[in-house]
Amino acid sequence: MTELELTVEVAAPPDTIFRAMTDWERQHEWMFGTRVSVVAGDGKSVGSEIEAVTFGVSDRMRITRWDPPHAVEVLKLGKVVRGTGAFAVRGSRFVWTERLDVPFFFPVVKPLFVLGLRRSMQRFARFAEEYR
């Protein structure tokens, strides 16, 4: 298992940060190379499922915790990406945590993956600060 945690400060109220981070269909506006869609349920409740496709790799997730405006936790159901993830609002910070059962080649791509996530987190801050 590999665990990643990234944090970014956001100049917006917690409820705005939460709404921005759970606007799945607009995630492509800040998450590099990713499209997200709701594939089961409403995308805003436990049991709903979302699918993120990043550079052709599918990451299907089931929401296991929905606690506005604090956190969303997911179980990753994909064939390549498995594990858990959490998106949390802590004060004025957005925290992204992943605990992944990664494929054997992950150590090779991890630096690029983390760089992409860091840039996406910076883009998220701007996205949430302007979120409507």
Side-chain angles (χ1 to χ4, degrees), residues 33-61:
T34 300
R35 291 273 178 193
V36 178
S37 57
V38 175
V39 293
D42 61 6
K44 299 194 178 298
S45 59
V46 171
S48 292
E49 293 185 10
I50 58 175
E51 182 177 35
V53 178
T54 305
F55 301 114
V57 177
S58 173
D59 182 9
R60 189 166 177 142
M61 297 165 267

PDB file of all heavy atoms in Angstrom, residues 33-61:
ATOM      1  N   GLY A  33      -5.895  16.236 -16.725  1.00  0.00           N
ATOM      2  CA  GLY A  33      -6.110  15.041 -17.523  1.00  0.00           C
ATOM      3  C   GLY A  33      -7.228  14.118 -17.091  1.00  0.00           C
ATOM      4  O   GLY A  33      -7.220  12.940 -17.441  1.00  0.00           O
ATOM      5  N   THR A  34      -8.192  14.625 -16.321  1.00  0.00           N
ATOM      6  CA  THR A  34      -9.221  13.762 -15.736  1.00  0.00           C
ATOM      7  C   THR A  34     -10.626  14.226 -16.096  1.00  0.00           C
ATOM      8  O   THR A  34     -10.914  15.418 -16.077  1.00  0.00           O
ATOM      9  CB  THR A  34      -9.066  13.727 -14.197  1.00  0.00           C
ATOM     10  OG1 THR A  34      -7.778  13.206 -13.887  1.00  0.00           O
ATOM     11  CG2 THR A  34     -10.124  12.870 -13.544  1.00  0.00           C
ATOM     12  N   ARG A  35     -11.475  13.263 -16.372  1.00  0.00           N
ATOM     13  CA  ARG A  35     -12.916  13.491 -16.543  1.00  0.00           C
ATOM     14  C   ARG A  35     -13.635  12.617 -15.530  1.00  0.00           C
ATOM     15  O   ARG A  35     -13.312  11.438 -15.383  1.00  0.00           O
ATOM     16  CB  ARG A  35     -13.372  13.096 -17.944  1.00  0.00           C
ATOM     17  CG  ARG A  35     -12.865  13.999 -19.023  1.00  0.00           C
ATOM     18  CD  ARG A  35     -13.784  15.158 -19.211  1.00  0.00           C
ATOM     19  NE  ARG A  35     -13.247  16.037 -20.236  1.00  0.00           N
ATOM     20  CZ  ARG A  35     -13.703  17.236 -20.445  1.00  0.00           C
ATOM     21  NH1 ARG A  35     -14.686  17.705 -19.734  1.00  0.00           N
ATOM     22  NH2 ARG A  35     -13.182  17.989 -21.371  1.00  0.00           N
ATOM     23  N   VAL A  36     -14.611  13.183 -14.845  1.00  0.00           N
ATOM     24  CA  VAL A  36     -15.352  12.441 -13.820  1.00  0.00           C
ATOM     25  C   VAL A  36     -16.832  12.469 -14.173  1.00  0.00           C
ATOM     26  O   VAL A  36     -17.361  13.497 -14.608  1.00  0.00           O
ATOM     27  CB  VAL A  36     -15.132  13.050 -12.415  1.00  0.00           C
ATOM     28  CG1 VAL A  36     -15.938  12.304 -11.368  1.00  0.00           C
ATOM     29  CG2 VAL A  36     -13.657  13.036 -12.054  1.00  0.00           C
ATOM     30  N   SER A  37     -17.485  11.344 -13.949  1.00  0.00           N
ATOM     31  CA  SER A  37     -18.934  11.297 -14.130  1.00  0.00           C
ATOM     32  C   SER A  37     -19.545  10.442 -13.021  1.00  0.00           C
ATOM     33  O   SER A  37     -18.893   9.562 -12.462  1.00  0.00           O
ATOM     34  CB  SER A  37     -19.291  10.727 -15.506  1.00  0.00           C
ATOM     35  OG  SER A  37     -18.731   9.448 -15.678  1.00  0.00           O
ATOM     36  N   VAL A  38     -20.786  10.755 -12.722  1.00  0.00           N
ATOM     37  CA  VAL A  38     -21.552   9.961 -11.757  1.00  0.00           C
ATOM     38  C   VAL A  38     -22.112   8.788 -12.537  1.00  0.00           C
ATOM     39  O   VAL A  38     -22.776   8.965 -13.558  1.00  0.00           O
ATOM     40  CB  VAL A  38     -22.678  10.803 -11.120  1.00  0.00           C
ATOM     41  CG1 VAL A  38     -23.548   9.948 -10.210  1.00  0.00           C
ATOM     42  CG2 VAL A  38     -22.089  11.990 -10.362  1.00  0.00           C
ATOM     43  N   VAL A  39     -21.854   7.558 -12.060  1.00  0.00           N
ATOM     44  CA  VAL A  39     -22.290   6.367 -12.792  1.00  0.00           C
ATOM     45  C   VAL A  39     -23.354   5.572 -12.040  1.00  0.00           C
ATOM     46  O   VAL A  39     -23.969   4.665 -12.608  1.00  0.00           O
ATOM     47  CB  VAL A  39     -21.100   5.466 -13.177  1.00  0.00           C
ATOM     48  CG1 VAL A  39     -20.211   6.167 -14.193  1.00  0.00           C
ATOM     49  CG2 VAL A  39     -20.297   5.040 -11.970  1.00  0.00           C
ATOM     50  N   ALA A  40     -23.587   5.898 -10.770  1.00  0.00           N
ATOM     51  CA  ALA A  40     -24.654   5.250  -9.993  1.00  0.00           C
ATOM     52  C   ALA A  40     -25.058   6.185  -8.866  1.00  0.00           C
ATOM     53  O   ALA A  40     -24.212   6.818  -8.242  1.00  0.00           O
ATOM     54  CB  ALA A  40     -24.191   3.908  -9.427  1.00  0.00           C
ATOM     55  N   GLY A  41     -26.353   6.275  -8.628  1.00  0.00           N
ATOM     56  CA  GLY A  41     -26.846   7.162  -7.576  1.00  0.00           C
ATOM     57  C   GLY A  41     -26.784   8.614  -7.995  1.00  0.00           C
ATOM     58  O   GLY A  41     -26.715   8.941  -9.181  1.00  0.00           O
ATOM     59  N   ASP A  42     -26.788   9.490  -6.991  1.00  0.00           N
ATOM     60  CA  ASP A  42     -26.813  10.929  -7.266  1.00  0.00           C
ATOM     61  C   ASP A  42     -25.450  11.600  -7.143  1.00  0.00           C
ATOM     62  O   ASP A  42     -25.324  12.803  -7.375  1.00  0.00           O
ATOM     63  CB  ASP A  42     -27.828  11.623  -6.346  1.00  0.00           C
ATOM     64  CG  ASP A  42     -27.485  11.466  -4.868  1.00  0.00           C
ATOM     65  OD1 ASP A  42     -26.409  10.915  -4.523  1.00  0.00           O
ATOM     66  OD2 ASP A  42     -28.311  11.897  -4.033  1.00  0.00           O
ATOM     67  N   GLY A  43     -24.422  10.841  -6.748  1.00  0.00           N
ATOM     68  CA  GLY A  43     -23.088  11.417  -6.581  1.00  0.00           C
ATOM     69  C   GLY A  43     -22.937  12.237  -5.325  1.00  0.00           C
ATOM     70  O   GLY A  43     -21.888  12.819  -5.079  1.00  0.00           O
ATOM     71  N   LYS A  44     -23.974  12.270  -4.508  1.00  0.00           N
ATOM     72  CA  LYS A  44     -23.961  13.098  -3.306  1.00  0.00           C
ATOM     73  C   LYS A  44     -24.498  12.339  -2.098  1.00  0.00           C
ATOM     74  O   LYS A  44     -25.113  12.923  -1.212  1.00  0.00           O
ATOM     75  CB  LYS A  44     -24.755  14.371  -3.539  1.00  0.00           C
ATOM     76  CG  LYS A  44     -24.159  15.198  -4.673  1.00  0.00           C
ATOM     77  CD  LYS A  44     -24.695  16.583  -4.706  1.00  0.00           C
ATOM     78  CE  LYS A  44     -24.068  17.412  -5.804  1.00  0.00           C
ATOM     79  NZ  LYS A  44     -22.655  17.616  -5.711  1.00  0.00           N
ATOM     80  N   SER A  45     -24.248  11.024  -2.084  1.00  0.00           N
ATOM     81  CA  SER A  45     -24.718  10.208  -0.972  1.00  0.00           C
ATOM     82  C   SER A  45     -23.930   8.897  -0.930  1.00  0.00           C
ATOM     83  O   SER A  45     -23.357   8.467  -1.929  1.00  0.00           O
ATOM     84  CB  SER A  45     -26.212   9.912  -1.117  1.00  0.00           C
ATOM     85  OG  SER A  45     -26.468   9.225  -2.328  1.00  0.00           O
ATOM     86  N   VAL A  46     -23.934   8.295   0.262  1.00  0.00           N
ATOM     87  CA  VAL A  46     -23.272   7.008   0.441  1.00  0.00           C
ATOM     88  C   VAL A  46     -23.890   5.983  -0.512  1.00  0.00           C
ATOM     89  O   VAL A  46     -25.109   5.928  -0.666  1.00  0.00           O
ATOM     90  CB  VAL A  46     -23.388   6.540   1.909  1.00  0.00           C
ATOM     91  CG1 VAL A  46     -22.908   5.108   2.074  1.00  0.00           C
ATOM     92  CG2 VAL A  46     -22.609   7.483   2.820  1.00  0.00           C
ATOM     93  N   GLY A  47     -23.033   5.223  -1.161  1.00  0.00           N
ATOM     94  CA  GLY A  47     -23.478   4.218  -2.122  1.00  0.00           C
ATOM     95  C   GLY A  47     -23.425   4.685  -3.567  1.00  0.00           C
ATOM     96  O   GLY A  47     -23.388   3.865  -4.481  1.00  0.00           O
ATOM     97  N   SER A  48     -23.430   6.000  -3.773  1.00  0.00           N
ATOM     98  CA  SER A  48     -23.287   6.517  -5.136  1.00  0.00           C
ATOM     99  C   SER A  48     -21.909   6.146  -5.664  1.00  0.00           C
ATOM    100  O   SER A  48     -20.966   5.956  -4.896  1.00  0.00           O
ATOM    101  CB  SER A  48     -23.431   8.041  -5.148  1.00  0.00           C
ATOM    102  OG  SER A  48     -24.735   8.439  -4.834  1.00  0.00           O
ATOM    103  N   GLU A  49     -21.806   6.060  -6.987  1.00  0.00           N
ATOM    104  CA  GLU A  49     -20.519   5.741  -7.597  1.00  0.00           C
ATOM    105  C   GLU A  49     -20.164   6.784  -8.633  1.00  0.00           C
ATOM    106  O   GLU A  49     -21.024   7.285  -9.357  1.00  0.00           O
ATOM    107  CB  GLU A  49     -20.544   4.345  -8.230  1.00  0.00           C
ATOM    108  CG  GLU A  49     -20.677   3.259  -7.190  1.00  0.00           C
ATOM    109  CD  GLU A  49     -20.595   1.848  -7.747  1.00  0.00           C
ATOM    110  OE1 GLU A  49     -20.243   1.680  -8.938  1.00  0.00           O
ATOM    111  OE2 GLU A  49     -20.873   0.909  -6.974  1.00  0.00           O
ATOM    112  N   ILE A  50     -18.875   7.098  -8.664  1.00  0.00           N
ATOM    113  CA  ILE A  50     -18.335   8.020  -9.654  1.00  0.00           C
ATOM    114  C   ILE A  50     -17.192   7.313 -10.365  1.00  0.00           C
ATOM    115  O   ILE A  50     -16.597   6.374  -9.833  1.00  0.00           O
ATOM    116  CB  ILE A  50     -17.854   9.347  -9.018  1.00  0.00           C
ATOM    117  CG1 ILE A  50     -16.795   9.090  -7.946  1.00  0.00           C
ATOM    118  CG2 ILE A  50     -19.026  10.137  -8.456  1.00  0.00           C
ATOM    119  CD1 ILE A  50     -16.197  10.363  -7.356  1.00  0.00           C
ATOM    120  N   GLU A  51     -16.929   7.750 -11.583  1.00  0.00           N
ATOM    121  CA  GLU A  51     -15.812   7.191 -12.330  1.00  0.00           C
ATOM    122  C   GLU A  51     -14.944   8.330 -12.842  1.00  0.00           C
ATOM    123  O   GLU A  51     -15.426   9.231 -13.520  1.00  0.00           O
ATOM    124  CB  GLU A  51     -16.293   6.348 -13.508  1.00  0.00           C
ATOM    125  CG  GLU A  51     -15.140   5.731 -14.271  1.00  0.00           C
ATOM    126  CD  GLU A  51     -15.607   4.836 -15.405  1.00  0.00           C
ATOM    127  OE1 GLU A  51     -16.640   5.144 -16.027  1.00  0.00           O
ATOM    128  OE2 GLU A  51     -14.929   3.836 -15.657  1.00  0.00           O
ATOM    129  N   ALA A  52     -13.673   8.271 -12.471  1.00  0.00           N
ATOM    130  CA  ALA A  52     -12.691   9.224 -12.968  1.00  0.00           C
ATOM    131  C   ALA A  52     -11.848   8.509 -14.010  1.00  0.00           C
ATOM    132  O   ALA A  52     -11.342   7.414 -13.762  1.00  0.00           O
ATOM    133  CB  ALA A  52     -11.811   9.716 -11.828  1.00  0.00           C
ATOM    134  N   VAL A  53     -11.710   9.120 -15.168  1.00  0.00           N
ATOM    135  CA  VAL A  53     -10.860   8.561 -16.205  1.00  0.00           C
ATOM    136  C   VAL A  53      -9.720   9.553 -16.408  1.00  0.00           C
ATOM    137  O   VAL A  53      -9.941  10.697 -16.796  1.00  0.00           O
ATOM    138  CB  VAL A  53     -11.630   8.317 -17.515  1.00  0.00           C
ATOM    139  CG1 VAL A  53     -10.693   7.777 -18.589  1.00  0.00           C
ATOM    140  CG2 VAL A  53     -12.793   7.357 -17.276  1.00  0.00           C
ATOM    141  N   THR A  54      -8.511   9.096 -16.083  1.00  0.00           N
ATOM    142  CA  THR A  54      -7.317   9.929 -16.185  1.00  0.00           C
ATOM    143  C   THR A  54      -6.383   9.311 -17.206  1.00  0.00           C
ATOM    144  O   THR A  54      -5.891   8.199 -16.995  1.00  0.00           O
ATOM    145  CB  THR A  54      -6.615  10.042 -14.817  1.00  0.00           C
ATOM    146  OG1 THR A  54      -7.551  10.525 -13.852  1.00  0.00           O
ATOM    147  CG2 THR A  54      -5.421  10.981 -14.890  1.00  0.00           C
ATOM    148  N   PHE A  55      -6.178  10.030 -18.301  1.00  0.00           N
ATOM    149  CA  PHE A  55      -5.321   9.540 -19.383  1.00  0.00           C
ATOM    150  C   PHE A  55      -5.672   8.105 -19.764  1.00  0.00           C
ATOM    151  O   PHE A  55      -4.806   7.255 -19.931  1.00  0.00           O
ATOM    152  CB  PHE A  55      -3.840   9.670 -19.008  1.00  0.00           C
ATOM    153  CG  PHE A  55      -3.427  11.080 -18.714  1.00  0.00           C
ATOM    154  CD1 PHE A  55      -3.033  11.435 -17.446  1.00  0.00           C
ATOM    155  CD2 PHE A  55      -3.473  12.043 -19.696  1.00  0.00           C
ATOM    156  CE1 PHE A  55      -2.667  12.735 -17.158  1.00  0.00           C
ATOM    157  CE2 PHE A  55      -3.117  13.361 -19.416  1.00  0.00           C
ATOM    158  CZ  PHE A  55      -2.709  13.703 -18.144  1.00  0.00           C
ATOM    159  N   GLY A  56      -6.969   7.820 -19.842  1.00  0.00           N
ATOM    160  CA  GLY A  56      -7.446   6.526 -20.277  1.00  0.00           C
ATOM    161  C   GLY A  56      -7.543   5.460 -19.199  1.00  0.00           C
ATOM    162  O   GLY A  56      -8.019   4.366 -19.460  1.00  0.00           O
ATOM    163  N   VAL A  57      -7.094   5.761 -17.976  1.00  0.00           N
ATOM    164  CA  VAL A  57      -7.157   4.791 -16.886  1.00  0.00           C
ATOM    165  C   VAL A  57      -8.399   5.082 -16.042  1.00  0.00           C
ATOM    166  O   VAL A  57      -8.556   6.185 -15.513  1.00  0.00           O
ATOM    167  CB  VAL A  57      -5.892   4.840 -15.998  1.00  0.00           C
ATOM    168  CG1 VAL A  57      -6.020   3.879 -14.820  1.00  0.00           C
ATOM    169  CG2 VAL A  57      -4.652   4.521 -16.823  1.00  0.00           C
ATOM    170  N   SER A  58      -9.276   4.088 -15.914  1.00  0.00           N
ATOM    171  CA  SER A  58     -10.518   4.241 -15.160  1.00  0.00           C
ATOM    172  C   SER A  58     -10.284   4.039 -13.666  1.00  0.00           C
ATOM    173  O   SER A  58      -9.571   3.131 -13.257  1.00  0.00           O
ATOM    174  CB  SER A  58     -11.545   3.217 -15.646  1.00  0.00           C
ATOM    175  OG  SER A  58     -12.689   3.249 -14.832  1.00  0.00           O
ATOM    176  N   ASP A  59     -10.893   4.906 -12.889  1.00  0.00           N
ATOM    177  CA  ASP A  59     -10.829   4.832 -11.425  1.00  0.00           C
ATOM    178  C   ASP A  59     -12.267   4.958 -10.928  1.00  0.00           C
ATOM    179  O   ASP A  59     -12.768   6.058 -10.718  1.00  0.00           O
ATOM    180  CB  ASP A  59      -9.947   5.956 -10.881  1.00  0.00           C
ATOM    181  CG  ASP A  59      -9.787   5.939  -9.369  1.00  0.00           C
ATOM    182  OD1 ASP A  59     -10.213   4.950  -8.723  1.00  0.00           O
ATOM    183  OD2 ASP A  59      -9.230   6.913  -8.831  1.00  0.00           O
ATOM    184  N   ARG A  60     -12.946   3.810 -10.789  1.00  0.00           N
ATOM    185  CA  ARG A  60     -14.333   3.815 -10.321  1.00  0.00           C
ATOM    186  C   ARG A  60     -14.335   3.788  -8.803  1.00  0.00           C
ATOM    187  O   ARG A  60     -13.586   3.028  -8.188  1.00  0.00           O
ATOM    188  CB  ARG A  60     -15.087   2.604 -10.878  1.00  0.00           C
ATOM    189  CG  ARG A  60     -16.578   2.698 -10.591  1.00  0.00           C
ATOM    190  CD  ARG A  60     -17.342   1.702 -11.409  1.00  0.00           C
ATOM    191  NE  ARG A  60     -18.744   1.764 -11.083  1.00  0.00           N
ATOM    192  CZ  ARG A  60     -19.699   1.629 -11.965  1.00  0.00           C
ATOM    193  NH1 ARG A  60     -19.418   1.435 -13.232  1.00  0.00           N
ATOM    194  NH2 ARG A  60     -20.962   1.683 -11.585  1.00  0.00           N
ATOM    195  N   MET A  61     -15.173   4.630  -8.200  1.00  0.00           N
ATOM    196  CA  MET A  61     -15.204   4.785  -6.751  1.00  0.00           C
ATOM    197  C   MET A  61     -16.630   4.759  -6.220  1.00  0.00           C
ATOM    198  O   MET A  61     -17.526   5.314  -6.845  1.00  0.00           O
ATOM    199  CB  MET A  61     -14.561   6.126  -6.357  1.00  0.00           C
ATOM    200  CG  MET A  61     -13.106   6.250  -6.725  1.00  0.00           C
ATOM    201  SD  MET A  61     -12.515   7.960  -6.639  1.00  0.00           S
ATOM    202  CE  MET A  61     -12.764   8.469  -8.352  1.00  0.00           C
TER     203      MET A  61
END
